[in-house]
Amino acid sequence: MKRKAMFFPAALGLCLSAQARAQQAPDSRPLPVDQAAGTTLPAADLQDRPAEPAPPPANGLPDDPKQVQFTADQLDYDMNSDVVTASGDVRMYRESNRLRADKVTWDRRTGKVMATGNIVVANPEGDAAYGDSIELTDTLKDGVVDNMLVVLEAGGRIAAARGSRNDGGVITVENAAYTPCSVSDSSGCPKEPSWKITADRVVYDPAKHRLRYKGARISVFKFVTIPLPAFSHPAGGQSDSGFLTPDARYSRTNGLQLALPYFFSIAPNRDLTVTPRVFSDTLPMLQADYRELNSLGAFRLQAYGTYSRRADDLTVTPTPATLRNDFRGYLDLAGRYQLDTNWDVRASFRVASDRTFLRRYDISRDDRLRNNLAVERIDADSYFVINAWAVQTLRVGDRQGLQPVALPEIDYRRRLDDGLLGGKFDFEVNTLALTRTGGQDTQRAFTSAQWSIRRLTNWGQEVSLTAYTRGDVYNTSDTIATTVASYRGEDGFRFRGIAAGALDVKWPFVGEFLGGSQRITPRVQMVVAPHLANMEVPNEDARAVDLEDSNLFALNRFAGYDRFEDSTRFTYGLDYALYLPGISVEANVGQSYRLTTRPTLFPNGTGLTDRMSDIVGRTVIRFHDFVSLTHRYRLDKDGLAVRRNEIDMSVGSRATYVTVGYLRLNRNVDPTLEDLQDREELRLGARVQFARFWSLSGSTLIDLTDKQEDPLSLANGFQPIRHRIGLFYEDDCLRIGTTWRRDYATTGDAQRGNSYLLTLAFKNLGR
């Protein structure tokens, strides 16, 4: 029979809402009792239903929003009973809401409408509702559904043995279950969700996007059931105020710790999380996290506060001042505002009440806290920034008065075409003022210009020319407060002029090799720079200098501005690259020779002290995405002793891998230069995914420094710093795990010992 279409002047009501009912399936828990019928009801079934939502109408919707477009394979009318029956893929449309069922009957005398068989209702938001039978009034606005299932577009599904919807769209379901988890495995077969909430009653208000439960229980893997006497949460994809997942851990310093965060949803773009933390061995602590996103940018604020004994250094004899309780806390603020296309403002402030607070409460292991405020402008050819910097040291024994405050630092750079030879001009103007409450003060300003050009010859050489000039002015005071003489400079105003030129030639040879390609590139560089009055000005930003592959061919191999390498030198090296299917090898090696015979600026042990430098290089090997190896090294020019040996390697996939990091600096540097101390350390990490969702991970850090490398070292060849081992389960909606960590060093009141962390996170439970 041909399909027939009719238009009913009524509203779809329940059929058009975001709700539906689910099939019933046996469950291991006791079945609830239907008081009216005196029988038990099967538990709600969260599995997918075979029915599909009706496609949009081919001819569009009617102009009257109250009309319902109605199609069916067969339409019958019983004149005696005054009953209209539509059967065979019945479809009803109204205001982008769609209903599909096997059969719909309308008793015109009683006003009852009944839909049965593979019922699917879809609303404009994308929610799909399923049920076996729906009984409605003739207004089609409210009714009762048996065996319902609602699949929410925002995530999650609700199933119930019975449900009803009132005229306001609020859904009330009995003997219900909710889960945001997948209900099918990777093969598409049905499976029990990782966790679900079952309840005697669930009320869902679409206007508030919130689910409220009565007599609820949360079940994890059907083994652990946690009662939830009063519980509610936002539907998937929404955020609302409420408690978050608790945090439980144990540490040697603080004992057992329990935290229960509460989330305040202030607005869609603003929220606040307040977390009380209670400890068995010390006083409680309060944490607050605020976030905001607006039309200009975003910022966040994190704050901790407690009241306990300060103990920056436990090696000091206790006094009444160090034994008394006092406020302790930490503040972390970060934000960035984009004022327009070119201008932005950014800030980062971190301050702690004392030097061991962060380490004691396992918030951070940083030993310095940097604070910065910057106003920045960037366009295609220029860069301008005004910076303010301040540093708080957390190192026990360091003097805060020696930490500089940079206010202001101003930097402007501009690039222009030379307009004649095709080269580029780079101009820079920079000023900096460093102030210390208990140390040396320095003000610096300079302006520089650099011209560079790059050309390719007919034979394939790449030739680069660089010319550089700069003028500096310094004003320094209280230089005697700086203990390292080479860092001081001279009191008062000092002027310095810098000039340098460089010629750099590369000659790449490319060809086939072993079914792939290889590239061999010899490289030679000549740099010319006259003698400079470097020691008359202070060294604030060029202290941690070391010869590496990254700065071998640099115009100035000092890291900052305060020192400039004044020598005429030749630098030569070789770059190599091999690319095979799935395999790549990249390597470089080089050395430099200084023509100047005058004493060098570089400290002993940096590889640049003598006229002939040490040999430096890097090798990078990759095999598919399975193996990655990077090796950096520096060899002594005289006996090829290894002065720097650094290895970083990872083997495995994203799920299962091993990482190895090894560093040994054997440079024999003067012990007074703290920025260049030798050390040796080993870092190991691994993760093994032994099942689809289960993984075991671990890491360790070991200090291998001995007395010969660092006379002040306490490791004496082998000293574990910390290690951790963790066992985790994680799928699409659940993360659970446990971690054991051991610290081997005591810092202030952060005592060494064992810590344990229990992780339990229900994903997609609101936001």
Side-chain angles (χ1 to χ4, degrees):
M1 176 177 289
K2 295 182 179 180
R3 297 181 61 84
K4 298 183 179 181
M6 297 181 63
F7 293 95
F8 286 7
L12 275 180
L14 175 62
C15 303
L16 304 177
S17 70
Q19 330 310 321
R21 320 307 181 207
Q23 297 172 342
Q24 296 134 345
D27 194 90
S28 57
R29 60 185 174 85
L31 298 176
V33 177
D34 186 336
Q35 301 295 337
T39 59
T40 58
L41 297 174
D45 181 15
L46 291 161
Q47 296 297 324
D48 290 332
R49 307 296 168 84
E52 294 290 338
N59 299 325
L61 294 172
D63 295 333
D64 185 354
K66 294 184 178 181
Q67 277 193 334
V68 177
Q69 184 174 342
F70 184 99
T71 67
D73 291 338
Q74 182 173 323
L75 185 64
D76 298 307
Y77 176 60
D78 189 337
M79 299 184 61
N80 295 326
S81 59
D82 202 10
V83 173
V84 179
T85 302
S87 58
D89 194 11
V90 183
R91 304 177 187 181
M92 299 175 67
Y93 302 94
R94 178 182 180 273
E95 295 179 340
S96 299
N97 296 286
R98 294 168 285 160
L99 166 66
R100 191 173 196 171
D102 292 341
K103 184 178 180 181
V104 176
T105 61
W106 176 28
D107 189 331
R108 299 182 61 185
R109 289 183 295 185
T110 63
K112 297 296 183 181
V113 178
M114 177 69 71
T116 58
N118 295 317
I119 301 170
V120 187
V121 179
N123 66 6
E125 289 74 28
D127 301 333
Y130 304 82
D132 286 349
S133 65
I134 302 179
E135 182 179 344
L136 309 167
T137 63
D138 54 4
T139 61
L140 301 181
K141 288 185 177 181
D142 50 26
V144 178
V145 184
D146 289 329
N147 190 17
M148 72 172 282
L149 172 68
V150 178
V151 179
L152 304 174
E153 174 67 18
R157 54 182 60 207
I158 311 168
R162 180 176 300 171
S164 63
R165 176 186 185 271
N166 63 25
D167 193 23
V170 177
I171 303 297
T172 303
V173 294
E174 310 290 340
N175 186 30
Y178 168 82
T179 185
C181 306
S182 174
V183 294
S184 60
D185 58 21
S186 57
S187 302
C189 299
K191 77 175 185 67
E192 183 72 14
S194 301
W195 66 269
K196 66 180 179 181
I197 301 175
T198 57
D200 297 335
R201 173 177 295 181
V202 180
V203 179
Y204 172 53
D205 188 345
K208 297 181 179 179
H209 296 280
R210 193 165 189 86
L211 294 160
R212 299 186 180 276
Y213 299 83
K214 180 180 179 181
R217 302 161 295 279
I218 185 168
S219 301
V220 182
F221 299 125
K222 298 183 67 174
F223 299 114
V224 179
T225 300
I226 304 172
L228 302 170
F231 183 68
S232 68
H233 67 82
Q238 303 293 325
S239 63
D240 205 349
S241 301
F243 288 102
L244 303 181
T245 305
D247 178 20
R249 63 183 68 190
Y250 174 84
S251 69
R252 168 72 183 278
T253 303
N254 301 314
L256 179 64
Q257 171 187 334
L258 295 176
L260 183 59
Y262 190 88
F263 179 82
F264 294 91
S265 181
I266 302 172
N269 64 322
R270 292 181 293 153
D271 60 60
L272 171 67
T273 303
V274 177
T275 308
R277 298 184 180 273
V278 181
F279 309 93
S280 62
D281 294 349
T282 189
L283 293 176
M285 180 172 66
L286 187 66
Q287 174 187 348
D289 298 88
Y290 178 81
R291 302 181 301 176
E292 181 174 324
L293 175 67
N294 54 46
S295 59
L296 293 178
F299 77 93
R300 62 168 180 81
L301 173 65
Q302 185 178 61
Y304 294 81
T306 188
Y307 193 73
S308 65
R309 182 174 70 89
R310 292 194 182 195
D312 285 346
D313 190 352
L314 293 183
T315 63
V316 177
T317 303
T319 65
T322 61
L323 292 175
R324 67 181 177 87
N325 287 334
D326 200 355
F327 174 81
R328 303 180 70 185
Y330 169 63
L331 184 67
D332 183 356
L333 169 66
R336 183 184 184 114
Y337 284 161
Q338 192 73 38
L339 304 181
D340 60 24
T341 304
N342 302 115
W343 286 93
D344 70 84
V345 178
R346 65 177 185 272
S348 175
F349 297 109
R350 302 177 67 196
V351 59
S353 60
D354 55 84
R355 304 193 183 194
T356 59
F357 176 81
L358 296 180
R359 192 174 290 258
R360 168 170 183 167
Y361 292 98
D362 199 23
I363 300 170
S364 171
R365 295 189 170 274
D366 293 339
D367 59 3
R368 291 185 179 94
L369 300 181
R370 295 191 303 173
N371 297 273
N372 172 239
L373 177 63
V375 179
E376 185 178 55
R377 185 186 189 279
I378 303 175
D379 61 26
D381 299 311
S382 67
Y383 173 77
F384 174 73
V385 64
I386 302 176
N387 266 306
W389 296 90
V391 177
Q392 179 185 7
T393 181
L394 301 183
R395 294 182 174 183
V396 175
D398 276 7
R399 291 173 53 194
Q400 180 62 41
L402 296 179
Q403 304 302 316
V405 175
L407 182 66
E409 179 199 18
I410 303 175
D411 190 60
Y412 175 74
R413 307 180 192 189
R414 186 167 184 82
R415 170 168 291 186
L416 299 173
D417 295 331
D418 65 10
L420 180 62
L421 300 177
K424 297 286 185 181
F425 278 111
D426 291 283
F427 299 96
E428 182 176 5
V429 178
N430 181 281
T431 66
L432 173 66
L434 296 179
T435 304
R436 297 176 175 89
T437 58
Q440 176 175 315
D441 295 339
T442 300
Q443 295 86 44
R444 178 194 73 198
F446 72 79
T447 180
S448 68
Q450 177 175 307
W451 175 82
S452 59
I453 190 172
R454 173 180 172 271
R455 288 289 183 266
L456 297 176
T457 69
N458 293 333
W459 289 357
Q461 295 101 337
E462 179 185 334
V463 180
S464 300
L465 287 172
T466 303
Y468 181 79
T469 181
R470 194 174 91 201
D472 303 338
V473 57
Y474 283 80
N475 181 30
T476 313
S477 59
D478 298 324
T479 58
I480 196 65
T482 299
T483 57
V484 180
S486 61
Y487 294 164
R488 293 174 181 168
E490 299 180 6
D491 279 329
F493 282 93
R494 290 292 182 270
F495 300 90
R496 181 178 63 173
I498 297 174
L503 171 65
D504 197 319
V505 180
K506 300 178 184 179
W507 197 350
F509 297 89
V510 182
E512 296 181 357
F513 184 69
L514 298 177
S517 64
Q518 68 174 346
R519 183 179 68 247
I520 303 174
T521 308
R523 181 177 182 182
V524 178
Q525 181 195 62
M526 181 180 70
V527 177
V528 179
H531 177 63
L532 303 174
N534 274 295
M535 302 307 293
E536 295 181 3
V537 300
N539 183 1
E540 298 279 8
D541 64 3
R543 300 180 178 182
V545 59
D546 195 9
L547 179 62
E548 300 176 343
D549 64 282
S550 60
N551 65 5
L552 176 64
F553 287 92
L555 188 65
N556 178 30
R557 290 182 286 201
F558 283 97
Y561 294 110
D562 292 336
R563 291 289 181 266
F564 195 91
E565 191 174 357
D566 55 350
S567 64
T568 299
R569 65 184 185 270
F570 286 93
T571 305
Y572 41 88
L574 183 71
D575 295 340
Y576 178 79
L578 173 64
Y579 301 103
L580 302 175
I583 302 175
S584 68
V585 179
E586 298 175 351
N588 61 58
V589 64
Q591 188 180 32
S592 69
Y593 177 75
R594 185 163 50 89
L595 298 181
T596 310
T597 58
R598 61 177 176 267
T600 181
L601 290 170
F602 296 100
N604 291 329
T606 59
L608 293 164
T609 308
D610 298 329
R611 296 178 65 183
M612 185 76 74
S613 78
D614 286 349
I615 302 169
V616 294
R618 183 187 75 241
T619 302
V620 179
I621 301 174
R622 294 185 177 89
F623 175 72
H624 294 280
D625 291 331
F626 189 76
V627 177
S628 176
L629 171 66
T630 301
H631 180 214
R632 297 180 178 89
Y633 57 89
R634 174 157 71 88
L635 305 179
D636 191 283
K637 65 183 186 308
D638 296 324
L640 298 182
V642 180
R643 298 303 181 191
R644 180 189 186 96
N645 192 16
E646 184 177 3
I647 299 173
D648 288 288
M649 182 178 66
S650 64
V651 179
S653 62
R654 293 176 181 267
T656 299
Y657 57 83
V658 175
T659 63
V660 178
Y662 173 77
L663 173 65
R664 185 171 190 262
L665 301 177
N666 181 28
R667 302 171 295 184
N668 298 324
V669 180
D670 187 338
T672 61
L673 302 177
E674 62 174 350
D675 304 280
L676 301 173
Q677 287 301 298
D678 288 340
R679 69 179 188 271
E680 185 176 6
E681 67 179 28
L682 176 65
R683 306 179 304 276
L684 299 174
R687 182 181 188 272
V688 178
Q689 184 168 342
F690 55 87
R692 184 183 179 191
F693 301 118
W694 288 94
S695 64
L696 180 68
S697 62
S699 64
T700 185
L701 175 62
I702 302 173
D703 186 357
L704 302 177
T705 309
D706 57 26
K707 297 293 185 181
Q708 182 179 357
E709 294 166 336
D710 182 3
L712 301 179
S713 173
L714 301 178
N716 198 23
F718 184 88
Q719 176 61 56
I721 302 300
R722 61 182 174 272
H723 66 242
R724 67 176 65 203
I725 298 175
L727 176 65
F728 295 96
Y729 172 93
E730 183 170 9
D731 60 19
D732 61 311
C733 67
L734 177 68
R735 176 179 171 83
I736 185 170
T738 180
T739 301
W740 166 52
R741 192 188 72 204
R742 180 172 180 84
D743 292 285
Y744 291 86
T746 295
T747 304
D749 58 350
Q751 302 180 41
R752 67 178 187 177
N754 297 318
S755 299
Y756 302 92
L757 171 64
L758 175 63
T759 301
L760 176 61
F762 298 99
K763 301 181 183 180
N764 306 320
L765 191 60
R767 187 173 58 188

